[in-house]
Amino acid sequence: MKRYFLLLVMAIFALQASTAQTSCSTYYPLTDDVSFQYTNYDKKGKEEGKINYKVTDVQNSGSTTTATMVMEMIDKKGKTYTSDYDITCDGNVVTIDFESLMNEQMLSQMGDMEMDISGTDVELPNNLSVGQTLPDANLSIKMKMGGGINMNTNIETINRKVEKQESITTPAGTFDCYVIYSETRTKMMMTNQTFPSRMWLAEGVGMVKQESYNKSGKLMASSLLTQLNK
């Protein structure tokens, strides 16, 4: 369960790149009952599972929009893990309430383990352009696992750059995208790894595709938008 919790957190952190600015820009439809599904694949293109998202409880007050993102993660064996978290769009910046991830359901799944989550948001400007450099971001997870054992995980997204524009087709449709390159640096216990990735981002949709690579640039895993209901 601890491993799947980390996968859920990393899924939120990845999606944050597509929810950044939400209704404050044209990159994501922050509207009640909008839902979308991503299918995850391994390096050989074999399906590894799915992640479903649904936008609920959208509220507007002046220039601020708040909503709840409901997330369901289904592994290749059909086992399901769910969570939800709050997001706020204020002007040109979206923030995610990481504390809201510690909802009653998630806490019951984690047992007696205590944890603290903090970080800085992934940001996207309203107007992307090829060659543009984007701000870094990070996520820190501190876990108290009992017996005096603590596990700290730090996930950084660095070297973000808009590489090109490209049209791609998925089961959800055909989308004109900006391709954003970044590197994810993960520090956990004695492990320190950095992996490159690319994200295809479409206006009015968010993330359409994502690929992760090893240090040699070979594909390790990918995610694809396979359903979209607006």
Side-chain angles (χ1 to χ4, degrees):
M1 178 57 66
K2 298 178 181 67
R3 183 174 71 89
Y4 280 101
F5 172 76
L6 290 176
L7 289 175
L8 284 169
V9 172
M10 293 182 71
I12 292 174
F13 197 56
L15 185 70
Q16 203 177 345
S18 62
T19 60
Q21 315 233 347
T22 57
S23 61
C24 297
S25 83
T26 59
Y27 283 103
Y28 183 79
L30 191 62
T31 307
D32 269 316
D33 296 327
V34 168
S35 63
F36 36 105
Q37 180 186 80
Y38 295 95
T39 301
N40 300 324
Y41 303 92
D42 65 14
K43 62 183 179 180
K44 295 182 178 180
K46 184 178 179 181
E47 184 175 326
E48 288 283 279
K50 300 180 186 295
I51 304 178
N52 298 313
Y53 295 90
K54 185 175 182 180
V55 181
T56 65
D57 195 25
V58 178
Q59 301 183 27
N60 298 290
S61 178
S63 62
T64 301
T65 299
T66 61
T68 298
M69 184 71 73
V70 179
M71 179 173 60
E72 178 187 52
M73 187 175 183
I74 308 169
D75 68 17
K76 60 184 178 181
K77 295 182 179 179
K79 196 167 184 179
T80 301
Y81 303 90
T82 61
S83 185
D84 58 70
Y85 55 95
D86 300 327
I87 58 177
T88 300
C89 180
D90 185 3
N92 289 325
V93 177
V94 160
T95 58
I96 290 182
D97 181 5
F98 291 111
E99 291 185 2
S100 68
L101 178 64
M102 298 296 96
N103 54 54
E104 183 176 348
Q105 182 178 10
M106 179 59 71
L107 288 174
S108 65
Q109 293 175 340
M110 297 307 295
D112 296 329
M113 188 171 62
E114 298 180 12
M115 64 184 66
D116 178 52
I117 302 176
S118 60
T120 59
D121 301 320
V122 175
E123 296 183 6
L124 290 172
N126 283 334
N127 298 310
L128 295 177
S129 60
V130 176
Q132 186 175 6
T133 299
L134 304 176
D136 295 342
N138 69 79
L139 180 64
S140 176
I141 308 168
K142 298 180 180 180
M143 308 170 71
K144 295 181 180 180
M145 303 169 63
I149 300 175
N150 297 329
M151 184 173 72
N152 297 331
T153 301
N154 190 62
I155 305 168
E156 295 179 280
T157 302
I158 59 175
N159 298 328
R160 300 174 66 218
K161 183 178 180 180
V162 183
E163 286 189 324
K164 59 183 178 179
Q165 289 181 277
E166 185 174 81
S167 178
I168 64 171
T169 298
T170 81
T174 298
F175 306 94
D176 294 323
C177 301
Y178 281 99
V179 181
I180 300 176
Y181 172 87
S182 64
E183 296 173 0
T184 300
R185 183 164 57 202
T186 303
K187 298 179 181 179
M188 182 172 61
M189 305 295 284
M190 301 299 293
T191 303
N192 188 345
Q193 297 178 312
T194 300
F195 299 105
S197 66
R198 285 183 175 86
M199 179 182 67
W200 282 254
L201 182 72
E203 293 186 3
V205 177
M207 191 181 80
V208 174
K209 179 181 177 181
Q210 186 172 41
E211 293 185 342
S212 300
Y213 314 96
N214 62 18
K215 295 179 180 180
S216 300
K218 294 183 178 180
L219 182 67
M220 293 176 56
S222 63
S223 296
L224 194 67
L225 179 67
T226 46
Q227 290 184 20
L228 173 65
N229 299 298
K230 298 172 63 176

